């Protein structure tokens, strides 16, 4: 049974990894000081700690179906509470929104009518918080093959969630005073590569030795 494998892993962690890193966990027991808020999908194929090679305590993580961020004021969601806590209480300076290839949520979004009867809760979640992505893709990319359309939807969804994130007063304030940086990433499962949105080129580029922070549009306008 799968749960037996989970229990075996738990025992392995307690008997080996925990023992070898006991000092780290003792330190973490006194509080947390994560460096990055990492927002990503619930998909089992993406592990923020694995792909960034981070240690326990390095990342504050929010996960949900489709890495969606409800815009401010839509509802008192767990996502909103997590964002507020990360920025205000933990002093997070960088926020990453990370989508991924072959995203089931984005596949469902492109065929959302099929979800209403079979998975009504997923339907409502996507309809309420990803409709802007769906409309943008369907209105502007007619005639594209399915795989290309899915890639576009994944990319545009991450950018839409960045815009939703910017509707939060605490985010807007921190961006204005240059105390916060936003990053839009796509993780490609089959290659292990991460692509970051480069605003100068208007496209996602392989992320290696430099970051591509998303510029604050209001500050850019003011300085031009």
């Amino acid at each position: 049974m799968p749960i037996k494998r989970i229990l075996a892993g738990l025992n392995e962690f307690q008997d080996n990894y925990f023992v070898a890193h006991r000092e780290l966990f003792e330190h973490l027991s006194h509080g947390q000081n994560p460096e990055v808020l990492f927002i990503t999908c619930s998909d089992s194929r993406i592990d923020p700690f694995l792909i960034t090679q981070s240690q326990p305590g390095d990342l504050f993580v929010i996960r949900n179906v489709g890495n969606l961020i409800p815009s401010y004021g839509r509802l008192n969601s767990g996502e909103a509470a997590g964002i507020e806590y990360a920025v205000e209480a933990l002093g997070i300076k960088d926020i990453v929104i990370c989508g991924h290839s072959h995203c089931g949520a984005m596949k469902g979004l492109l065929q959302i009518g099929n979800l209403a009867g079979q998975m009504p809760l997923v339907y409502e979640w996507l309809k309420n918080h990803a409709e802007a992505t769906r409309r943008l893709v369907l209105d502007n990319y007619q005639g594209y093959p399915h795989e290309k359309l899915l890639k576009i939807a994944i990319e545009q969804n991450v950018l839409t969630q960045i815009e939703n994130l910017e509707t939060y007063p605490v985010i807007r304030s921190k961006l204005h005073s240059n105390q916060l940086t936003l990053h839009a990433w796509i993780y490609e499962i089959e290659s292990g590569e991460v692509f970051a949105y480069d605003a100068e080129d208007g496209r996602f580029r392989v992320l290696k030795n430099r970051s591509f922070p998303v510029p604050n549009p209001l500050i850019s306008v003011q300085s031009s």
Side-chain angles (χ1 to χ4, degrees), residues 1-10:
M1 293 177 63
I3 193 64
K4 288 185 177 180
R5 180 182 58 80
I6 297 299
L7 293 175
L10 176 60

Side-chain angles (χ1 to χ4, degrees), residues 55-77:
Q55 295 298 312
D58 288 346
L59 305 177
F60 190 80
V61 179
I62 295 175
R63 304 186 70 158
N64 63 35
V65 173
N67 41 268
L68 304 181
I69 299 298
S71 56
Y72 181 77
R74 289 288 301 272
L75 54 90
N76 293 323
S77 65

Side-chain angles (χ1 to χ4, degrees), residues 67 69 95-98 156-168 171-172 175 181-185 197 214-215 217:
N67 41 268
I69 299 298
I95 301 179
V96 174
I97 298 184
C98 185
Q156 291 298 329
N157 181 60
V158 170
L159 297 178
T160 298
Q161 304 319 309
I162 289 284
E163 292 178 349
N164 287 347
L165 194 59
E166 291 174 342
T167 66
Y168 286 73
I171 300 295
R172 184 76 260 144
L175 285 173
T181 305
L182 307 183
H183 309 265
W185 290 6
Y197 182 69
V214 179

Side-chain angles (χ1 to χ4, degrees), residues 40-41 43-47 50-51 63 98-104 107 154 186-195:
T40 193
C41 187
D43 194 297
S44 62
R45 297 168 292 180
I46 179 170
D47 184 338
L50 181 63
I51 67 174
R63 304 186 70 158
C98 185
H100 65 94
S101 61
H102 312 290
C103 181
K107 291 179 182 178
I154 291 167
I186 304 289
Y187 168 61
E188 190 173 82
I189 295 170
E190 58 271 36
S191 70
E193 291 184 314
V194 173
F195 297 79

